[in-house]
Amino acid sequence: LQALKRKPDLFLCSNLDVKAVFQCGVLSLKFPEALTVKASCGFFTELLPRCGEIAPVGQVVHENGKALLQAVLEGIGGQASRSLMDHFAEILFALNKHCFSLLSVW
C-alpha cells in the first residue's frame, strides 16, 4: 500500500504481474485477520483511482473486477467482521467513482 502511494508507476514495470497482485489482494479480502483485510482494502482504494491512468491496472480491473466486487459483497454480507464495513464501503465507493460503467455490468 505504501509503495503504491509513493510510486504509482510501479505498476508500469514490465516484469510485474499486475493480475497476480490484484488476485492476491482479492484473496486477502477473505482472510480472517482484520489487519490483513484492512490493508487489502486500502490497497484497492489506492489502486482503483489509477485505472484510467495506468493501462495495465485498467486492463486487470476490467478483466477481474467482478471477482473484487464479489469478494467485497461477500465480506459485507457477513464473511467479514462488522468493524471492517467502512473499509469495504471505501472499495465500493472507489469502484462507483472510477469504474462506474464496469460496475453496472458486473
Side-chain angles (χ1 to χ4, degrees), residues 40-94:
S40 186
C41 288
F43 167 74
F44 284 112
T45 58
E46 288 294 322
L47 180 76
L48 292 170
R50 291 167 174 67
C51 286
E53 62 194 53
I54 302 176
V57 172
Q59 182 179 352
V60 167
V61 171
H62 183 269
E63 295 170 358
N64 301 282
K66 187 175 181 179
L68 171 61
L69 179 61
Q70 183 175 351
V72 168
L73 293 176
E74 287 172 359
I76 291 171
Q79 184 176 342
S81 166
R82 290 283 161 223
S83 64
L84 296 167
M85 292 306 112
D86 287 347
H87 301 286
F88 282 109
E90 288 176 19
I91 296 176
L92 284 177
F93 178 72

Side-chain angles (χ1 to χ4, degrees), residues 28 31-41 84:
S28 297
F31 276 31
E33 296 87 12
L35 289 176
T36 302
V37 175
K38 189 175 176 181
S40 186
C41 288
L84 296 167

